[in-house]
């Protein structure tokens, strides 16, 4: 196992004093320069290995954490004990870039944040979570431990692209979000029929108990009311149409439009993304897996087709 360095890379001990190590000083300057030119920490680590530069006396192996420690080491600016190796301006630029990159990996856009709140697994109905792996690549998966993992890696771009495609298709073809159905329905139960018959019998006798009949009529009205169903899907459909009317085709997610029109997103284990509108209509968007790194998304059919209304 390689020993940890006691003296930072770029320095060595001579005659009891810390001084510079010329080969390592060159490497430090190269690391800062390559980082500001756009190379990643891992790419720089591989460059150091290819140039046979030893990080310590025991090993010429490099990793991105070694490079990161060099970039953030303030001793290179010079102290009482350590000679200056890096110009202050170069050091500042490199570390500002490092902080920006670190922050960008820890945050997600407002649009993705809203999508994450309403995304569910199509197989089990549990929420879907978003995480990043060790390389900073994001992936989405069902958070139910009893459910299967997604067949392929689901990315932000795939989900965002599917939602934008569905919204654009609904704006271009409003018939996709038509829900149909009746606003109100009434289907009497056997208890209601029995209650009506009982009231008829009570009014068909010579001695009528008006107070009791009134009570039974109120009871019947309550039973009928409980059997009535009301659907506001038509009003919601009109609301969606009004919001989408004359709306320009989206290239990026309009958060206000998304929140006004969409209630949930359903992701299956086989890269099918289904967008549920606030009126209950589902529109599928098939995300095709072309190879292990490339994906494309387009609506199921051209244009999109509505899936079955409602979700169990």
């Amino acid at each position: 196992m390689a020993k940890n360095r006691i003296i930072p890379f770029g320095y060595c001990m001579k005659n009891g004093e810390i001084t510079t190590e010329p080969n390592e000083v060159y490497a430090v300057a190269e690391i800062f320069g390559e980082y500001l030119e756009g190379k990643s920490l891992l790419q720089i680590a591989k460059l150091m290995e290819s140039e046979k530069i030893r990080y310590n006396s025991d090993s010429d192996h490099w990793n991105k954490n070694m490079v990161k420690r060099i970039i953030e080491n303030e001793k290179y600016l010079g102290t009482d004990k350590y000679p200056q190796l890096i110009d202050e301006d170069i050091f500042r630029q490199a570390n500002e870039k490092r902080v920006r990159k670190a922050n960008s990996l820890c945050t997600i856009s407002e649009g993705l944040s809203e999508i994450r709140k309403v995304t569910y697994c199509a197989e089990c109905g549990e929420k879907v979570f978003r995480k990043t792996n060790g390389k900073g690549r994001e992936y989405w998966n069902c958070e139910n431990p009893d459910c299967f993992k997604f067949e392929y890696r689901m990315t932000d771009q795939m989900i965002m692209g599917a939602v934008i495609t569905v919204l654009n298709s609904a704006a271009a073809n409003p018939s996709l979000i038509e829900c149909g159905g009746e606003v109100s329905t009434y289907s009497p139960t056997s208890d209601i029929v029995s209650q009506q018959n009982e009231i008829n019998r009570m009014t068909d006798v010579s001695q009528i108990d008006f107070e009791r009949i009134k009570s039974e009529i109120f009871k019947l009205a309550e039973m009928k009311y409980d059997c009535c169903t009301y659907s506001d899907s038509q009003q919601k459909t009109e609301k969606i149409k009004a919001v989408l009317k004359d709306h320009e085709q989206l290239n990026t997610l309009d958060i206000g439009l998304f929140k006004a029109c969409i209630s949930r997103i359903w992701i299956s284990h086989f890269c099918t993304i289904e967008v549920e509108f606030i009126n209950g209509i589902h529109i599928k968007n098939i995300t095709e897996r072309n190879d292990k790194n490339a994906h494309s998304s387009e609506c199921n059919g051209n244009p999109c087709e509505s899936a079955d209304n409602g979700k169990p």
Side-chain angles (χ1 to χ4, degrees):
M1 179 181 293
K3 297 179 181 178
N4 291 327
R5 292 184 62 107
I6 298 175
I7 299 175
F9 186 82
Y11 301 103
C12 64
M13 182 75 73
K14 287 183 180 179
N15 301 322
E17 292 186 0
I18 295 174
T19 185
T20 58
E21 210 298 316
N23 290 335
E24 293 183 3
V25 170
Y26 165 79
V28 170
E30 186 178 20
I31 286 170
F32 274 87
E34 294 292 342
Y35 189 68
L36 288 175
E37 286 293 322
K39 278 192 171 61
S40 69
L41 300 178
L42 184 59
Q43 287 174 323
I44 295 173
K46 292 184 180 297
L47 176 63
M48 293 295 104
E49 289 183 344
S50 70
E51 294 182 355
K52 307 298 181 183
I53 297 174
R54 286 182 172 272
Y55 183 75
N56 56 44
S57 59
D58 294 328
S59 173
D60 58 3
H61 172 70
W62 284 74
N63 60 46
K64 64 181 183 180
N65 291 324
M66 294 173 179
V67 177
K68 177 175 177 290
R69 283 197 294 270
I70 289 172
I71 291 174
E72 63 188 12
N73 192 340
E74 294 183 356
K75 289 184 174 66
Y76 296 132
L77 293 174
T79 69
D80 291 340
K81 293 182 178 180
Y82 294 92
Q84 184 175 1
L85 302 187
I86 295 296
D87 178 79
E88 290 186 12
D89 191 49
I90 292 176
F91 185 88
R92 176 185 56 78
Q93 290 179 44
N95 279 277
E96 285 177 354
K97 179 178 179 180
R98 177 182 58 81
V99 171
R100 286 196 305 271
K101 292 184 71 173
N103 289 339
S104 68
L105 291 175
C106 297
T107 59
I108 63 174
S109 68
E110 186 180 357
L112 278 176
S113 179
E114 292 299 327
I115 286 175
R116 187 167 57 176
K117 293 177 185 178
V118 296
T119 302
Y120 295 83
C121 173
E123 272 67 42
C124 71
E126 292 289 330
K127 287 293 294 290
V128 168
F129 65 79
R130 177 192 183 274
K131 289 188 176 181
T132 54
N133 60 21
K135 297 181 179 180
R137 300 171 69 198
E138 82 284 356
Y139 65 94
W140 297 65
N141 230 319
C142 177
E143 62 183 18
N144 179 2
D146 297 324
C147 196
F148 294 104
K149 299 294 183 183
F150 287 169
E151 187 75 9
Y152 308 116
R153 174 173 165 255
M154 186 68 69
T155 68
D156 296 346
Q157 184 180 6
M158 293 161 65
I159 298 173
M160 185 78 77
V163 172
I164 291 172
T165 299
V166 167
L167 283 171
N168 282 337
S169 297
N173 185 5
S175 65
L176 289 172
I177 56 173
E178 290 288 354
C179 59
E182 299 178 10
V183 174
S184 179
T185 59
Y186 168 68
S187 180
T189 64
S190 58
D191 289 339
I192 290 176
V193 174
S194 297
Q195 179 71 3
Q196 183 66 66
N197 290 337
E198 177 63 16
I199 293 173
N200 292 341
R201 186 193 63 78
M202 292 172 63
T203 59
D204 205 22
V205 297
S206 55
Q207 296 293 325
I208 298 176
D209 187 340
F210 290 103
E211 286 301 318
R212 185 184 172 194
I213 289 176
K214 182 170 71 173
S215 175
E216 294 300 324
I217 289 175
F218 284 139
K219 182 179 178 181
L220 176 62
E222 185 176 340
M223 293 170 68
K224 287 184 175 181
Y225 178 82
D226 289 340
C227 280
C228 290
T229 60
Y230 173 77
S231 172
D232 61 353
S233 58
Q234 288 286 5
Q235 289 118 304
K236 289 180 177 178
T237 299
E238 294 306 314
K239 177 183 175 181
I240 298 171
K241 286 182 177 180
V243 172
L244 292 176
K245 186 178 180 182
D246 299 326
H247 204 287
E248 295 182 357
Q249 290 286 288
L250 302 173
N251 293 315
T252 58
L253 185 66
D254 183 317
I255 298 174
L257 189 67
F258 172 83
K259 294 171 73 172
C261 297
I262 294 172
S263 60
R264 289 194 176 190
I265 298 169
W266 301 89
I267 301 179
S268 80
H269 290 203
F270 303 99
C271 289
T272 298
I273 301 171
E274 196 168 312
V275 177
E276 180 181 347
F277 284 78
I278 59 173
N279 64 348
I281 289 295
H282 292 235
I283 297 180
K284 286 185 178 180
N285 184 287
I286 306 300
T287 301
E288 297 179 348
R289 184 177 184 272
N290 298 325
D291 56 49
K292 67 179 181 179
N293 293 317
H295 296 78
S296 65
S297 63
E298 59 183 18
C299 278
N300 185 22
N302 189 15
C304 292
E305 294 180 358
S306 296
D308 290 340
N309 189 7
K311 189 83 180 174

